């Protein structure tokens, strides 16, 4: 079982890395947020989960052990595969996931691509009482602010951009935006539209 990797990033994609350890390159699926922070040549330390299937071996890596723990719990939920679990962790932070489960609120999970209403409800039901990660102080405020990028991304998708383009643009703008702008759907949407330019329809996967 490969439980961790510590090596050099040799390749970086939207949601995966190639990490070279002792001359061997390991392809690792990671969250989109983490992938955006890594550059070729960076020293990378990941907590990993190796998924063994009849036709493939897939390695999933996480920056923190808490993310790995939640990933493991998510794939134990009926109907949630590794890719969907990674999608949840790409859309929500660990505290946001814990808070949603504690509040019996499946709405944040329904917003994740690939997670339907029934599966979202199962996540809340089956993870109830199992998440050992406790949200930090003022969890309601954190949860509310964390939904702003999700709402802006969905608004941009409605205007014609692909989900990937919208999410990347929102994340880019949020990095340099003020706390007030990051907390406001209207402000963050305005700033992201200024970056993207006129609305347009994109082909799927564009």
């Amino acid at each position: 079982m490969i439980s961790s990797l510590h090596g050099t990033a040799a390749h970086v994609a939207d949601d995966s890395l190639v990490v070279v350890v002792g001359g061997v390159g390991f392809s690792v699926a990671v969250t989109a947020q983490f992938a955006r922070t890594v550059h070729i040549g960076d020293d990378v330390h990941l907590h990993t989960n190796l998924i063994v299937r009849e036709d493939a071996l897939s390695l999933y890596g996480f920056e923190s052990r808490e993310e790995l723990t939640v990933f493991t719990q998510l794939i134990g939920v009926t109907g949630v595969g590794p890719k969907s679990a990674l999608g949840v962790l790409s859309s929500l932070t660990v505290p946001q996931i814990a808070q949603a489960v504690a509040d019996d609120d499946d709405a944040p999970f329904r917003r994740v691509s690939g997670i339907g209403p029934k599966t979202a409800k199962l996540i809340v039901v089956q993870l109830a009482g199992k998440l050992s990660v406790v949200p930090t102080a003022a969890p309601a405020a954190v949860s509310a602010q964390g939904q702003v990028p999700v709402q802006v991304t969905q608004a941009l998708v409605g205007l014609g951009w692909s989900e990937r383009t919208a999410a990347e643009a929102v994340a880019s703008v949020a990095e340099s935006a003020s706390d007030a702008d990051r907390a406001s759907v209207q402000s963050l949407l305005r700033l992201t539209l200024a970056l993207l330019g006129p609305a347009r329809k994109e082909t799927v996967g564009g």
Side-chain angles (χ1 to χ4, degrees):
M1 182 68 173
I2 301 173
S3 60
S4 66
L5 286 178
H6 189 181
T8 303
H11 177 73
V12 180
D14 291 339
D15 54 4
S16 66
L17 308 173
V18 172
V19 181
V20 176
V21 182
V24 179
F26 292 85
S27 178
V28 190
V30 297
T31 64
Q33 290 91 330
F34 182 70
R36 285 193 289 268
T37 69
V38 179
H39 301 87
I40 293 175
D42 284 355
D43 186 58
V44 178
H45 186 193
L46 293 169
H47 301 278
T48 59
N49 186 307
L50 178 64
I51 304 295
V52 179
R53 298 283 171 83
E54 290 184 1
D55 57 347
L57 299 176
S58 302
L59 197 59
Y60 293 80
F62 303 92
E63 188 175 13
S64 70
R65 186 166 295 280
E66 288 78 14
E67 286 182 314
L68 173 61
T69 298
V70 173
F71 174 81
T72 302
Q73 292 169 324
L74 281 168
I75 61 177
V77 174
T78 304
V80 179
K83 291 184 178 179
S84 294
L86 191 66
V88 172
L89 284 161
S90 290
S91 302
L92 301 167
T93 65
V94 168
Q96 288 168 358
I97 294 170
Q99 188 62 44
V101 171
D103 291 343
D104 193 25
D105 179 14
D106 63 359
F109 303 111
R110 293 200 307 270
R111 300 189 187 101
V112 177
S113 178
I115 299 291
K118 291 182 179 180
T119 302
K121 188 62 179 178
L122 282 172
I123 290 174
V124 172
V125 172
Q126 294 187 16
L127 292 190
K130 295 182 180 179
L131 290 178
S132 58
V133 180
V134 179
T136 55
V142 172
S143 180
Q145 183 168 337
Q147 292 308 310
V148 171
V150 175
Q151 293 176 39
V152 173
T153 298
Q154 292 303 316
L156 291 169
V157 170
L159 289 173
W161 281 278
S162 69
E163 186 170 354
R164 174 182 295 181
T165 298
E168 290 179 350
V170 171
S172 177
V173 170
E175 285 181 2
S176 57
S178 66
D179 290 342
D181 285 335
R182 284 197 297 269
S184 167
V185 172
Q186 183 176 359
S187 295
L188 192 59
L189 178 59
R190 173 177 52 80
L191 292 171
T192 308
L193 284 171
L195 173 67
L196 288 170
R200 66 190 186 285
K201 289 293 181 182
E202 295 187 342
T203 57
V204 176

